[in-house]
Amino acid sequence: MSSHVTRTTLRTMTHFPPPAEELRLLDTELQQLDARRAQLLARRAWLVAALQHAVRQAPPVWPSRPAPPAPSTRPEATAPGVQNVLLLLGGLLLTIAAMVFTLVSWGHLGIVGRSLVLGAVTLGVLGAPVALLRRGLRSTAESVAGLGLALTALDAYALYEVAFTASDGTTYAAAASTVLAVLWAAYGTALAALPGSATVRLPRPAALTVAQLPLPLWAIAIGGGAYAVTAAVLSTAAFDTVVALRASDRPVRLVAVVCAFGTGGWGVLAAGLLSVNAAGPGAAARAAALLALAAAIALGAGRFRPELATGTAAAGALCVVVGLGGILRVLVPGDWAVPAYLACGIALLAAARGQEAVRRGVVWASGAVQAGAVLWAAPAVGVTLLGPTAWLGHPWSGAPADARAAATMDAFWQPYAVTAPLILVAVATVLATTVRNEAWRPQALTAALTLAWAGVLVTPTALQLPYAVGMSVQGLATLALLAPVSRTATGLALATSLGLAFLSLATEGATLTVLAVLTVVCAVAAWQRRLPPVSAAAALGYATALACAVGASAGWRPEHIALLVLAVPVAAALVAPRIGDPATTVAVEATGAAAGLVAIGLAVLDLPLLALVLSLCAVIAAGTALRPDRRAVGYAAVALFVLAAWVRLAAWHVGVPEAYTLPVTAPALLVGALRRRRESATSSWTAYAPGLTATLVPSLAAAWGDPGWTRPLLLGTAALLLTLVGARRRLQAPLVLGGSVLTLDTLHELAPYLVQVTDALPRWVPPALAGLLLLALGATYEQRLRNVRKAREALGRMN
């Protein structure tokens, strides 16, 4: 083969290795790429870490202090605000100047000059807003128009002073206010009719404000009485209502609404007072007519504004009730006045027809009347229930004449409250029969039950039934209320039983009988799960009162009665563990503890018996502490035992403090030893310090004030033994306390000799001793510094 052929063939020929060889080459290349990639990633991570370290080590670059901001040139007040203030101040100053001119400088001009000046100024001021509005200066025109209105009022006053001085002031005021209202309204309408969008808003609201005066002033001027003036006020309110409903101008409408509420409220209040104070049917009928007018105004407003229908219907219905109730009030005796109003209020429920909003308003009005009647009867119920508490200060002083006398021994019975039971029962019946809403039905029935209970409770007091009948009614009410399984009924029953207990204090027999029956009844109620916590506590409370009453009936002294009262805590301690309800258990135990306090209070004047009572209370508490869940009561038992011991020692006239402190120290040390045995980590300060301190501190105080040597010697010996025990057992509390007491006792005993030695020493000895002490402290301080320096050097060498 020629060389030319060979070169050509090699130039164009490509070598393709076998597949196995090619796969091996590809794998080799990929491994080399992975290794290179890993090297690059590692280098990149090192560079990032180095840059972050350099940034952290670089000193912080504090930002340059910004230049202070340029003073703001923003104005503090807006241009419209400045304008309004200036216009307001200008109008006020001009008005004041006009008043001063009218009131002070008027007399310097003649009649012609006066007329010309005022007329020219007023006409000029009233005409100025027209030119100002044409120039678009509405705010200035508003201020000038207000000044013109003020000038017209001053013109009216000036005219009265010049031409109508002899006329009646009220008549002239009525005429002037009428004329001013018409003129201002016409003036405002004329300004509003001017072409252009800008107009003056002040004259027509001002005219409406002045329009509140003419009708009442005319009524007063013509000699109309309170009824005529009230009718004029209500008529003005009707006019305001019409304007508020029909006016399209918002300022006028707002002023009309305010005036309607103001004059309407004034008129309704006046008509209501006239109805309540009416002496005869004629006066009551006239007042009712006024209230009917007010109701018509309210209902008319609600008809044209459905969103106000509920409130207007309620207001109108209340006006009708007050009017009709006022007529019935003068036709019935005084005791039946409130029931008459209540009857009208209940009758509203039958008249609740029409739209839902109107019906709701009428129902609200009826509820308000019924609530007012219940509030009126509430004081009678309070006197019946709480008035008998006065018998606590006069027990067994004799049966009163009747139930009212029993309840009002130290209380006031409000007049015309004979019908209070009827009112309460009537409202209870309405609630029970008319409320059908499922959401409100339970609350209505609860309220009805409460009102019915109050009505029954107050009946004997209101009707002045015999004393025995009153007690019987309350007793039967208590039993009847305990029959249903209801928390409300049970609560009312217990409240009634409390009032019955106070009521029974008038006689001895009644007290014993009632308290015994109430104890049994409340115990049965608690057994039958009728509000058991309260029922059980009430049973024990009545049992305590019964024990006191029995002892007093037997002629026992209070300290002897205390022993009888202790039967109640014993019963509570025995019954409490057998009660499954935790709340009832706590209530029983708390009531038993309260009975124990009563016993202690009864025995406080006899120290031996007081010690006995305290001991018995301690025994009861200790028995309670045997229960696993009442271990904490053991502290109370210990405290009661200690108190009993102290009282007994006081009764024996023992004045040695150790006799009082050792009964505390001994059990305290015993408890501490048991705790350390059970918990070896307990500190000796926790275990023994309280008990030791209880005796050592009072004994040391007594030893320092004892001139003899026996007590200091015994105290020093005890402190020495305590110190030795602490050293032997390696206990800090006995060692420190015993050593401290021993040192103080020794210093007290050696104090006279130390004083003699001090007098015998030269004057230089105390400074020398102080110097030695300071040197010793300095040397100790230097030694400690050297130790610290050596420790630091040792640590440095270790590093």
Side-chain angles (χ1 to χ4, degrees):
M1 182 180 297
S2 62
S3 59
H4 176 73
V5 174
T6 302
R7 288 193 298 270
T8 306
T9 303
L10 292 173
R11 189 181 299 116
T12 58
M13 183 176 65
T14 302
H15 175 69
F16 292 98
E21 181 67 16
E22 185 178 2
L23 179 62
R24 185 184 64 78
L25 294 174
L26 291 176
D27 291 338
T28 303
E29 292 292 336
L30 289 175
Q31 291 177 358
Q32 292 176 356
L33 290 174
D34 291 339
R36 184 58 178 170
R37 176 179 175 81
Q39 293 176 358
L40 294 175
L41 289 176
R43 181 61 179 175
R44 181 183 182 279
W46 183 86
L47 291 174
V48 170
L51 289 175
Q52 291 178 350
H53 180 72
V55 170
R56 285 195 299 267
Q57 294 297 326
V61 179
W62 299 101
S64 59
R65 184 174 182 179
S72 176
T73 57
R74 183 180 179 180
E76 296 181 357
T78 61
V82 174
Q83 166 194 298
N84 293 333
V85 171
L86 293 177
L87 292 176
L88 178 61
L89 291 177
L92 289 176
L93 292 176
L94 289 175
T95 302
I96 294 172
M99 292 176 62
V100 172
F101 171 77
T102 304
L103 299 176
V104 179
S105 302
W106 182 258
H108 298 290
L109 299 176
I111 185 63
V112 179
R114 301 171 188 174
S115 303
L116 290 177
V117 171
L118 277 180
V121 172
T122 302
L123 291 176
V125 172
L126 291 176
V130 178
L132 293 173
L133 289 175
R134 289 176 180 176
R135 294 179 176 271
L137 303 177
R138 191 187 67 82
S139 298
T140 306
E142 198 85 46
S143 299
V144 175
L147 176 61
L149 298 181
L151 288 176
T152 56
L154 292 175
D155 289 340
Y157 172 75
L159 187 61
Y160 173 75
E161 290 292 335
V162 172
F164 300 99
T165 307
S167 63
D168 179 62
T170 305
T171 304
Y172 183 81
S177 60
T178 304
V179 173
L180 287 176
V182 174
L183 290 178
W184 290 3
Y187 180 63
T189 304
L191 291 178
L194 293 175
S197 59
T199 184
V200 177
R201 301 176 181 178
L202 181 61
R204 284 187 289 183
L208 183 58
T209 304
V210 176
Q212 309 304 307
L213 301 177
L215 287 179
L217 290 177
W218 281 118
I220 296 173
I222 64 176
Y227 292 92
V229 175
T230 304
V233 173
L234 290 175
S235 300
T236 305
F239 170 74
D240 296 332
T241 303
V242 173
V243 173
L245 296 174
R246 296 298 184 183
S248 59
D249 191 8
R250 189 170 181 271
V252 175
R253 187 168 62 252
L254 292 177
V255 173
V257 169
V258 174
C259 292
F261 275 102
T263 55
W266 178 21
V268 169
L269 180 60
L273 293 176
L274 291 174
S275 177
V276 171
N277 296 324
R286 291 195 297 272
L290 295 174
L291 290 168
L293 173 60
I297 296 171
L299 294 176
R303 181 177 180 182
F304 286 96
R305 286 288 187 271
E307 64 273 13
L308 303 177
T310 300
T312 56
L318 287 176
C319 291
V320 171
V321 169
V322 175
L324 295 179
I327 296 176
L328 294 177
R329 181 187 62 82
V330 298
L331 298 177
V332 299
D335 293 332
W336 293 90
V338 177
Y341 286 102
L342 179 61
C344 296
I346 294 175
L348 287 177
L349 295 175
R353 297 290 185 271
Q355 299 178 354
E356 176 63 22
V358 176
R359 190 181 66 82
R360 188 185 306 113
V362 174
V363 171
W364 285 3
S366 176
V369 174
Q370 296 179 56
V374 170
L375 289 177
W376 178 84
V381 180
V383 170
T384 301
L385 191 62
L386 302 178
T389 56
W391 289 100
L392 288 172
H394 311 279
W396 299 352
S397 58
D402 51 48
R404 183 181 296 182
T408 58
M409 186 175 185
D410 290 336
F412 172 75
W413 181 259
Q414 65 179 12
Y416 307 116
V418 176
T419 55
L422 176 62
I423 292 171
L424 296 170
V425 173
V427 177
T429 304
V430 171
L431 287 173
T433 56
T434 59
V435 179
R436 299 298 181 184
N437 192 313
E438 295 297 331
W440 292 97
R441 181 70 176 171
Q443 290 84 347
L445 292 178
T446 300
L449 176 61
T450 304
L451 292 176
W453 161 79
V456 172
L457 185 69
V458 80
T459 298
T461 309
L463 301 180
Q464 292 183 295
L465 298 179
Y467 169 69
V469 174
M471 292 186 58
S472 301
V473 168
Q474 292 196 17
L476 294 175
T478 302
L479 295 176
L481 289 170
L482 287 175
V485 183
S486 170
R487 299 176 66 89
T488 302
T490 304
L492 295 176
L494 295 176
T496 308
S497 68
L498 186 62
L500 177 61
F502 288 131
L503 196 63
S504 67
L505 293 175
T507 61
E508 179 179 348
T511 302
L512 296 175
T513 303
V514 168
L515 291 177
V517 171
L518 289 179
T519 302
V520 175
V521 168
C522 292
V524 173
W527 182 265
Q528 295 181 352
R529 301 296 178 182
R530 300 293 196 275
L531 200 60
V534 182
S535 301
L540 292 176
Y542 289 135
T544 303
L546 178 62
C548 295
V550 169
S553 177
W556 293 1
R557 294 176 57 84
E559 53 269 19
H560 297 145
I561 297 176
L563 299 176
L564 184 60
V565 172
L566 284 179
V568 177
V570 172
L574 294 176
V575 172
R578 294 170 175 80
I579 301 175
D581 183 20
T584 306
T585 301
V586 173
V588 168
E589 292 175 344
T591 310
L597 292 177
V598 172
I600 293 173
L602 291 173
V604 73
L605 297 179
D606 192 329
L607 293 182
L609 271 177
L610 178 59
L612 177 60
V613 170
L614 288 171
S615 300
L616 294 176
C617 291
V619 171
I620 298 171
T624 303
L626 295 177
R627 293 162 49 191
D629 57 339
R630 293 293 186 269
R631 297 299 189 191
V633 184
Y635 295 104
V638 173
L640 289 171
F641 275 123
V642 171
L643 287 176
W646 286 357
V647 171
R648 172 54 63 183
L649 292 173
W652 287 338
H653 303 287
V654 175
V656 179
E658 288 78 9
Y660 294 90
T661 57
L662 288 177
V664 178
T665 297
L669 293 178
L670 179 61
V671 171
L674 293 176
R675 182 172 180 180
R676 277 183 59 84
R677 178 175 295 180
R678 186 172 60 251
E679 301 177 7
S680 58
T682 303
S683 171
S684 64
W685 291 100
T686 303
Y688 303 125
L692 294 175
T693 305
T695 294
L696 291 177
V697 173
S699 298
L700 180 61
W704 275 50
D706 192 349
W709 58 272
T710 305
R711 179 184 297 277
L713 178 61
L714 295 176
L715 178 61
T717 303
L720 177 60
L721 294 176
L722 185 61
T723 304
L724 296 176
V725 170
R728 178 69 177 83
R729 298 290 183 180
R730 297 183 179 179
L731 299 176
Q732 289 185 0
L735 181 62
V736 173
L737 293 177
S740 301
V741 171
L742 179 61
T743 302
L744 294 175
D745 185 61
T746 303
L747 287 176
H748 175 264
E749 292 301 311
L750 298 178
Y753 305 102
L754 293 176
V755 171
Q756 294 177 4
V757 171
T758 303
D759 293 338
L761 289 176
R763 296 296 181 90
W764 55 268
V765 173
L769 294 176
L772 290 175
L773 177 61
L774 293 177
L775 288 176
L777 292 176
T780 304
Y781 186 73
E782 183 181 6
Q783 180 65 33
R784 291 180 179 177
L785 289 178
R786 186 167 59 252
N787 294 337
V788 171
R789 192 180 302 109
K790 290 181 179 179
R792 185 174 60 188
E793 292 175 355
L795 291 175
R797 288 193 299 271
M798 292 173 63
N799 191 22

